[in-house]
Amino acid sequence: MTLTELLSGLSDNPYFGAGFGLFGVGASAAVLRKVLQGGMILFRRHYMITLEVPCRDKSYQWLLQWITEKGARQTQHLSVETSFEQKDTGQVRTKYDFIPSVGTHLFRYQGNWIRVERTREQQTLDLHMGIPWETVTLTAFGKNKGMFFSILEDARQMALRQHEGKTIMYTAMGAEWRQFGHPRKKRPLSSVVLDTGIAERILNDVKDFIGNPSWYGSRGIPYRRGYLLYGPPGCGKSSFITALAGELEHSICVLNLSDRGLTDDRLNHLLSLAPQQSIILLEDVDAAFVSREESSQVKTAFEGLNRVTFSGLLNCLDGVASTEARILFMTTNYLERLDPALIRPGRVDLKEYIGYCSYQQVEQMFRRFYSDQAVGERAAQFADAVMKTKKPVSPAQIQGYFMFYKQSPEAAMKNVEQIWTLG
């Protein structure tokens, strides 16, 4: 039998023909699949652009909110985020935000279709947040990276508008800063009545610092500024810093040096990771450290509890590893207890005494408190009556006294001696 006859016989065999046909179809499908996969990889590599945003990135929540608000309004697959919003009256309202759930979503932006894929790794946890690791991936046709930049910037601006007119407080939690409480309504700087010229002097100095970074760089001066407000309690140190943050549209990062979990390394880490446009506040710094000259005689309640060393604090404020572009405020009721090395120039650039009320402060507070009533000459008369007693009085005492007679400036005029007894 010849080879031709053998092949002709095999082709006529139905079992061989079916097997060869199935093999050919399978091989062809496998080759086609490989070609399509390779073509898709090449197409995505050269004609598509992808952006991956992990949940640890600061823009992650901004992006989810923006996608919900601007793009994926028609999606039927949602997740809920419950938050709380504080009104001016102090009432807290529950707010529900719907964001795209885990899965794939489509929306249009600037005439382009964008595919949004939100994935969640159930086996991987974010150790800081204690939640599963998530990512959002945006995919679009073309090579225009500027479109993604525009999306992220729009998301950031939308998030900023939500906190417009409010001051955000941060506190140290572990190795990062967490928002503390609800955003507070900005306090007008004029509502904190300090002695003549003090508020203006500090405000002008801070604005000059913020507006002239190149001046510091060209002269080799570290771009950071330190302030110390000292004086008796109740005189407006913390209130002024809060109002100043509102005026500058900055947040406030409150750092407690007496925290037993705070170490030198963690302190330096927190200062380097402070949110942008923020004021770092160290309140009552004398409670954590006393002057080295007095340390042998004075025993503080915190002695033996602090893990932050005095030299560690000094290095964080003005050492080789200290951060740039930083505004830091310290407050104390007892300036004499602070070590001179802590408040020397370079660590503290401006010191201001915030003391008991002067004549001008008392008069101005009276005018502000009873501004909706016929004050006339009574403000000056009230200030005269307070000053004649020769007793020091703090703004907190004056304000507390006014609260007892908030509807009657006449009664406030007649009972001046009660300022030191009420409350």
Side-chain angles (χ1 to χ4, degrees):
M1 180 180 293
T2 64
L3 179 62
T4 303
E5 293 173 342
L6 178 62
L7 292 175
S8 177
L10 290 174
S11 63
D12 293 336
N13 188 315
Y15 299 104
F16 180 82
F20 187 78
L22 290 174
F23 173 77
V25 171
S28 300
V31 171
L32 181 61
R33 185 169 61 251
K34 288 291 184 180
V35 171
L36 290 176
Q37 288 177 347
M40 182 60 67
I41 291 174
L42 290 174
F43 182 79
R44 293 189 62 178
R45 182 176 297 173
H46 296 286
Y47 299 102
M48 299 185 76
I49 185 170
T50 299
L51 174 69
E52 182 180 87
V53 183
C55 61
R56 285 290 294 160
D57 191 86
K58 290 183 173 64
S59 63
Y60 183 77
Q61 290 298 328
W62 303 347
L63 185 61
L64 286 181
Q65 293 291 343
W66 183 88
I67 291 172
T68 303
E69 181 69 23
K70 299 294 184 182
R73 292 185 177 182
Q74 304 303 320
T75 184
Q76 295 178 286
H77 307 285
L78 302 170
S79 296
V80 65
E81 278 196 351
T82 306
S83 58
F84 302 97
E85 186 177 33
Q86 191 172 33
K87 300 180 180 179
D88 294 342
T89 59
Q91 288 184 318
V92 177
R93 180 174 68 90
T94 304
K95 182 181 178 183
Y96 301 103
D97 294 316
F98 294 102
I99 60 178
S101 65
V102 174
T104 302
H105 312 269
L106 287 173
F107 72 93
R108 286 179 67 86
Y109 177 74
Q110 295 181 350
N112 299 309
W113 280 103
I114 298 179
R115 177 175 179 265
V116 180
E117 185 177 10
R118 184 182 177 194
T119 58
R120 178 179 297 163
E121 298 289 340
Q122 296 291 350
Q123 305 300 322
T124 306
L125 286 180
D126 182 342
L127 297 180
H128 291 283
M129 304 288 290
I131 59 177
W133 182 265
E134 294 186 0
T135 58
V136 169
T137 303
L138 306 182
T139 305
F141 293 106
K143 300 180 180 181
N144 182 18
K145 297 179 182 178
M147 179 178 62
F148 287 152
F149 179 84
S150 179
I151 289 175
L152 293 175
E153 184 61 20
D154 286 350
R156 186 181 73 89
Q157 292 295 337
M158 189 178 78
L160 289 176
R161 284 193 295 271
Q162 291 179 349
H163 293 141
E164 193 172 4
K166 297 181 179 179
T167 301
I168 302 176
M169 309 292 290
Y170 291 95
T171 187
M173 297 288 289
E176 63 180 4
W177 296 97
R178 296 276 185 89
Q179 183 175 325
F180 180 74
H182 305 287
R184 305 180 182 183
K185 183 179 178 181
K186 288 182 181 178
R187 180 170 182 173
L189 194 61
S190 59
S191 68
V192 183
V193 181
L194 302 183
D195 206 358
T196 306
I198 294 178
E200 293 78 7
R201 191 157 52 246
I202 299 174
L203 177 62
N204 292 336
D205 189 271
V206 175
K207 285 186 174 181
D208 179 74
F209 168 77
I210 294 174
N212 294 286
S214 59
W215 186 92
Y216 286 80
S218 63
R219 289 160 176 79
I221 301 174
Y223 185 53
R224 49 180 174 260
R225 199 74 175 159
Y227 300 86
L228 175 67
L229 305 185
Y230 64 98
C235 292
K237 297 183 289 296
S238 299
S239 298
F240 174 76
I241 295 172
T242 303
L244 178 66
E247 177 72 20
L248 298 173
E249 297 185 347
H250 277 43
S251 56
I252 300 177
C253 297
V254 182
L255 193 56
N256 181 14
L257 294 177
S258 300
D259 183 356
R260 295 195 65 181
L262 191 64
T263 62
D264 291 346
D265 290 339
R266 184 177 161 224
L267 174 62
N268 205 4
H269 180 74
L270 288 169
L271 292 180
S272 65
L273 291 181
Q276 292 183 340
Q277 290 187 295
S278 63
I279 292 174
I280 298 173
L281 174 59
L282 307 180
E283 286 194 296
D284 298 320
V285 69
D286 59 279
F289 298 105
V290 298
S291 171
R292 283 173 288 188
E293 286 80 1
E294 298 180 2
S295 60
S296 58
Q297 295 90 15
V298 179
K299 300 294 182 182
T300 68
F302 299 97
E303 187 172 352
L305 300 182
N306 274 6
R307 298 179 66 187
V308 176
T309 64
F310 186 68
S311 62
L313 174 62
L314 298 183
N315 288 328
C316 290
L317 297 180
D318 188 31
V320 175
S322 57
T323 55
E324 299 276 310
R326 182 187 67 207
I327 301 175
L328 184 139
F329 273 81
M330 292 187 286
T331 66
T332 180
N333 297 331
Y334 307 100
L335 178 64
E336 65 279 1
R337 293 185 182 178
L338 299 182
D339 193 289
L342 179 62
I343 56 177
R344 69 155 175 81
R347 293 182 178 127
V348 172
D349 302 291
L350 182 64
K351 295 188 283 286
E352 287 290 349
Y353 174 71
I354 312 296
Y356 291 116
C357 288
S358 65
Y359 180 93
Q360 290 79 8
Q361 283 178 273
V362 176
E363 183 180 12
Q364 188 177 351
M365 289 184 69
F366 189 93
R367 291 182 183 279
R368 285 192 58 82
F369 203 89
Y370 300 108
S371 59
D372 57 339
Q373 303 181 42
V375 176
E377 297 180 354
R378 282 178 290 189
Q381 294 172 0
F382 178 79
D384 287 334
V386 173
M387 292 295 107
K388 283 180 182 177
T389 62
K390 304 296 183 181
K391 300 177 183 177
V393 59
S394 69
Q397 288 176 297
I398 294 288
Q399 180 174 296
Y401 172 73
F402 287 159
M403 292 298 294
F404 279 94
Y405 301 105
K406 55 187 174 183
Q407 301 298 336
S408 177
E410 294 84 2
M413 291 284 299
K414 296 177 182 178
N415 300 282
V416 172
E417 285 294 335
Q418 293 184 7
I419 293 176
W420 294 270
T421 59
L422 288 176

